Amino acid sequence: MLQQILFAFTAIFFAIGGTILFFVGSNLLIDKVFGDNGQSNEKQYRRDKLREQIRPWIFIGPALLFLTVFLIYPVLKSLQLSFWDREGESFVGLANYIWAFNNTGFITSIINNLMWLFFVPTMATIFGLTIAYLTDRIWWGQFARTLIFLPMAISFVGASIIWKFVYDFRGPDADQIGLVNAVIMLFGGEPKALISIQFWNNFFLMVILIWIQTGFAMVILGAAIRGVPEDTLEASMMEGASQTQIFFKIVIPQIWPTIVVVWTTITILVLKVFDIVYAMTNGQWGSQVLANLMYNEMFRNGNSGTASTVAVILMLAVMPIMIYNIRSARNSEQ
């Protein structure tokens, strides 16, 4: 444990120190090379202009390099591999795509992803909006918002481990330590292995992501609510509007663009969900999703062709929502 902590701090130190050294050193080098070396005014002007043209690339250059290596190249390579066999040696055309849409596991993953898409963004946004509005009107609201935001600091795997204890099942005759089964037994019911109940186990897994993302939605929507003009709220109260009417007819219409951005942002995250399913069920008992299917095809079945095909389909599913999200954000700024 101590070794892991030391390794983490060492990595942070060298990452931050290396970044500072790179930017400071690069700027000093440019200033030295293109500095005032007794040149004529015209030559020095050109050198100064060239220096200012190079300087922005110092800042965006590393980002472009990482973007190319870790995003653009993998996308192009995945697209290529999706038309080749499992070893990436023989061209098979659309065979992998035909396999996908005739594969039971892929169809199950599509259905499960659609359920996640409908349930998680909707519930996280509703909970976040409701909590943001209510906590803005109580004196201990800041403390409540802090508690609700805390799960955002937990990794998806860490959150899954926490909820594994919540859903824990130790057998019908054993003492139960799982919170849900303890409540079931308190009311006279029989404990159940909840995450192995097909269909319903998907919703038990969705609860974990809703628990994490509600804090995100609350913070963004809370900031939008505080941006609603006070005179509008005061005028509606003077007209005799109730808090419910103010919320649905005044607040929500004015922050609707922000609600859409929050909803679509969580939707993109949901399409890529992997950690929770992998840590909780690994796709068993009918809980498979696209990202987990892609992982299993690549690292368990060793089939780069079908894994790349799932990755491409997943990317195509994310792109329209991402484009819509960007356009909505731009429109809200105008």
Side-chain angles (χ1 to χ4, degrees):
M1 181 66 178
L2 180 60
Q3 185 179 3
Q4 292 174 333
I5 294 173
L6 289 174
F7 178 78
F9 276 109
T10 303
I12 292 171
F13 174 78
F14 279 104
I16 296 175
T19 303
I20 294 173
L21 185 63
F22 170 77
F23 288 119
V24 173
S26 300
N27 276 284
L28 290 175
L29 181 62
I30 287 178
D31 290 337
K32 185 174 180 61
V33 173
F34 296 99
D36 188 358
N37 296 321
Q39 305 281 348
S40 64
N41 291 338
E42 183 178 350
K43 288 185 178 179
Q44 188 58 47
Y45 172 76
R46 287 200 296 268
R47 290 166 67 91
D48 290 343
K49 188 175 181 180
L50 181 61
R51 178 178 60 189
E52 296 309 313
Q53 288 175 340
I54 293 174
R55 198 183 302 276
W57 290 98
I58 294 175
F59 294 93
I60 67 172
L64 289 176
L65 176 63
F66 281 108
L67 187 68
T68 301
V69 173
F70 295 107
L71 183 62
I72 297 175
Y73 172 74
V75 167
L76 297 177
K77 189 65 177 178
S78 297
L79 187 61
Q80 176 198 346
L81 289 173
S82 69
F83 296 105
W84 293 69
D85 65 355
R86 63 184 302 120
E87 289 83 19
E89 296 176 352
S90 302
F91 182 77
V92 296
L94 296 175
N96 290 324
Y97 291 90
I98 294 172
W99 163 87
F101 289 99
N102 287 282
N103 181 270
T104 305
F106 181 82
I107 300 301
T108 300
S109 300
I110 289 287
I111 294 171
N112 288 341
N113 267 100
L114 289 174
M115 289 195 299
W116 279 74
L117 281 174
F118 174 77
F119 192 71
V120 175
T122 302
M123 298 309 297
T125 304
I126 290 173
F127 286 147
L129 178 61
T130 305
I131 293 168
Y133 187 72
L134 294 177
T135 55
D136 200 38
R137 283 157 172 75
I138 53 179
W139 63 270
W140 48 276
Q142 187 63 44
F143 177 72
R145 285 193 293 270
T146 302
L147 291 179
I148 293 166
F149 187 76
L150 279 178
M152 283 289 295
I154 306 174
S155 69
F156 284 6
V157 174
S160 300
I161 293 171
I162 292 171
W163 281 85
K164 255 192 174 180
F165 285 106
V166 175
Y167 296 141
D168 186 77
F169 173 69
R170 294 295 176 93
D173 300 323
D175 293 332
Q176 302 297 323
I177 66 167
L179 177 62
V180 176
N181 274 319
V183 173
I184 291 174
M185 292 179 66
L186 181 65
F187 289 95
E190 290 292 328
K192 301 180 183 298
L194 297 169
I195 62 173
S196 65
I197 302 175
Q198 292 202 26
F199 180 75
W200 295 108
N201 56 0
N202 288 287
F203 293 95
F204 294 132
L205 301 186
M206 293 177 204
V207 168
I208 303 172
L209 190 53
I210 294 171
W211 180 66
I212 296 172
Q213 290 300 308
T214 294
F216 163 75
M218 176 196 67
V219 170
I220 304 300
L221 295 172
I225 289 172
R226 284 188 287 276
V228 176
E230 285 292 335
D231 54 352
T232 305
L233 301 176
E234 290 174 2
S236 59
M237 284 189 287
M238 291 176 63
E239 292 293 328
S242 65
Q243 288 295 328
T244 304
Q245 291 174 322
I246 292 172
F247 179 69
F248 284 104
K249 296 184 178 180
I250 304 294
V251 175
I252 288 182
Q254 295 203 41
I255 66 168
W256 185 252
T258 307
I259 293 175
V260 172
V261 169
V262 169
W263 191 90
T264 52
T265 301
I266 299 175
T267 298
I268 293 170
L269 178 67
V270 167
L271 276 169
K272 301 181 293 181
V273 68
F274 164 76
D275 315 59
I276 294 172
V277 175
Y278 180 77
M280 294 291 286
T281 64
N282 193 28
Q284 299 179 83
W285 309 299
S287 63
Q288 188 73 282
V289 292
L290 287 174
N292 199 71
L293 176 65
M294 176 184 67
Y295 175 86
N296 287 339
E297 286 296 318
M298 185 67 203
F299 297 104
R300 295 185 183 276
N301 300 335
N303 194 329
S304 61
T306 53
S308 299
T309 300
V310 177
V312 170
I313 293 172
L314 189 58
M315 181 190 68
L316 293 175
V318 170
M319 282 183 64
I321 303 172
M322 189 175 295
I323 292 170
Y324 178 77
N325 198 6
I326 294 170
R327 287 183 176 178
S328 298
R330 287 179 176 176
N331 292 336
S332 64
E333 292 174 359
Q334 294 176 355

